[in-house]
């Protein structure tokens, strides 16, 4: 190590070239070690950091250089991981990824390099299944704040994306309801109507649905015939009124 500069001089290397070579070696060492460790353990532990500190010393790197190489290596690994996840995104994988980044203190935009467009896709991919299943409803929206803060997205941006998702899912549900009713399969629309009722609570019934009058009244009558004996009567009436607004039969 002490003869490194002398040896480089014998080879005719400038100090700048030697530093460049040293950085390249350090980058390769860090990349290999960080990728292996994160693949096996998910994140780096204290023992890993001690090993990297030793490598930093042996390579003659400053603390700032070592930190920069570490950030670059982690960014590379996390970027590859999110690319793989987005090929087939699932709420579980997305949640695990953003929580890992949060635990590592890595900002998804600044540190990992995830674009604003991809953040929106991540938000939609995690929120949409929860909306459809009812895990996210008007009485349980804390998870939305948790996802928004974890992704470090602007609240207004998330609100817009969320509302658009609600409107899109409501239209999809209404299209399926119309199709089933046309085929005389009224029994198949029960869960779909309940889904739409959940969505009405987010937007005060304003789901921008285009529903023919006959279909609208049929849907409402089916919902009104549900067994609400175990439900809060006030909430049931509120849901009925919101459904009327969504179906375009307000005041009828």
């Amino acid at each position: 190590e002490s003869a490194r500069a002398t040896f480089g001089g014998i080879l005719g290397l400038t100090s700048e070239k030697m530093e460049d070579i040293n950085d390249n070696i350090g980058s390769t060492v860090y990349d290999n070690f960080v990728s292996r460790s994160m693949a096996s353990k998910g994140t780096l532990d204290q023992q890993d950091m001690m090993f990297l500190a030793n490598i930093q010393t042996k390579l003659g790197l400053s603390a700032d250089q070592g930190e920069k190489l570490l950030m670059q290596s982690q960014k590379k690994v996390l970027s590859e991981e999110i690319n793989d996840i987005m090929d087939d995104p699932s709420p579980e994988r997305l949640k695990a990824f953003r929580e890992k980044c949060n635990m590592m203190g890595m900002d998804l935009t600044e540190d990992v390099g995830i674009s604003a467009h991809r953040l929106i896709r991540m938000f939609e991919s995690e929120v949409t299944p929860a909306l459809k299943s009812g895990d996210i409803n008007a009485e349980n929206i804390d998870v939305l704040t948790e996802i928004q803060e974890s992704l470090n997205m602007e609240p207004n941006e998330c609100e817009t994306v969320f509302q658009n998702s609600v409107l899109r899912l409501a239209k999809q549900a209404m299209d399926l309801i119309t199709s089933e009713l046309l085929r005389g399969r009224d029994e198949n629309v029960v869960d779909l109507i309940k889904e739409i009722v959940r969505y009405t609570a987010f937007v005060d019934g304003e789901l921008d649905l285009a529903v023919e009058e006959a279909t609208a009244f049929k849907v409402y009558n089916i919902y009104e015939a549900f067994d609400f004996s175990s439900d809060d009567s006030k909430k049931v009436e509120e849901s009925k009124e919101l459904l009327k607004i969504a179906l375009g039969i307000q005041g009828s």
Side-chain angles (χ1 to χ4, degrees):
E1 291 178 24
S2 60
R4 184 165 48 196
T6 302
F7 182 63
I10 293 172
L11 295 176
L13 301 175
T14 64
S15 57
E16 290 79 9
K17 186 62 176 177
M18 284 188 279
E19 185 175 346
D20 186 46
I21 293 172
N22 203 47
D23 286 345
N24 288 335
I25 294 172
S27 178
T28 301
V29 172
Y30 271 67
D31 282 350
N32 289 337
F33 180 76
V34 171
S35 61
R36 287 200 305 270
S37 294
M38 290 184 65
S40 61
K41 295 182 285 189
T43 59
L44 302 179
D45 57 24
Q46 187 62 33
Q47 185 176 356
D48 295 327
M49 300 306 292
M50 291 174 62
F51 177 83
L52 288 175
N54 185 47
I55 291 295
Q56 174 187 310
T57 301
K58 286 189 175 298
L59 292 175
L61 300 172
S62 67
D64 287 344
Q65 288 175 310
E67 184 177 353
K68 181 180 178 181
L69 288 175
L70 175 59
M71 289 290 288
Q72 289 176 342
S73 298
Q74 288 178 319
K75 176 179 178 178
K76 182 178 179 180
V77 172
L78 293 171
S79 295
E80 291 173 352
E81 182 177 348
I82 192 59
N83 285 339
D84 177 63
I85 291 173
M86 295 308 290
D87 285 339
D88 183 24
S90 71
E92 295 77 20
R93 295 180 74 195
L94 287 167
K95 180 180 180 180
F97 177 80
R98 61 178 174 77
E99 287 183 343
K100 174 164 65 175
C101 291
N102 295 160
M103 184 175 64
M104 294 170 63
M106 302 283 282
D107 181 274
L108 278 78
T109 300
E110 298 296 328
D111 299 325
V112 185
I114 297 176
S115 67
H117 176 70
R118 173 160 283 188
L119 282 180
I120 290 174
R121 278 195 61 207
M122 291 171 67
F123 181 83
E124 288 179 322
S125 298
E126 192 168 349
V127 167
T128 298
L131 265 173
K132 284 185 66 68
S133 67
D135 290 339
I136 294 178
N137 54 64
E139 298 176 352
N140 178 30
I141 60 173
D142 290 346
V143 64
L144 288 176
T145 302
E146 188 265 326
I147 295 173
Q148 173 256 313
E149 292 179 348
S150 180
L151 295 175
N152 198 21
M153 294 176 66
E154 290 294 327
N156 290 342
E157 182 180 33
C158 287
E159 184 177 347
T160 299
V161 174
F162 176 74
Q163 183 168 326
N164 289 339
S165 297
V166 169
L167 298 181
R168 184 181 68 254
L169 290 173
K171 183 182 184 305
Q172 291 173 356
M174 194 67 238
D175 288 345
L176 287 173
I177 289 172
T178 301
S179 177
E180 293 295 326
L181 292 180
L182 285 174
R183 290 167 174 74
R185 299 195 287 245
D186 295 13
E187 68 280 1
N188 291 348
V189 304
V190 172
D191 288 339
L192 291 169
I193 293 175
K194 290 179 179 179
E195 186 178 333
I196 286 183
V197 169
R198 288 200 308 271
Y199 299 150
T200 64
F202 291 115
V203 292
D204 294 328
E206 302 291 345
L207 290 174
D208 296 337
L209 298 174
V211 188
E212 293 185 1
E213 184 178 12
T215 301
F217 276 100
K218 186 163 189 178
V219 169
Y220 182 78
N221 290 335
I222 291 175
Y223 181 69
E224 198 170 34
F226 285 1
D227 181 8
F228 297 111
S229 58
S230 60
D231 299 328
D232 181 271
S233 59
K234 183 179 179 180
K235 290 184 179 179
V236 170
E237 290 306 313
E238 289 175 353
S239 295
K240 287 181 179 180
E241 290 303 312
L242 291 175
L243 182 58
K244 283 183 179 181
I245 296 173
L247 296 172
I249 54 177
Q250 185 179 10
S252 301

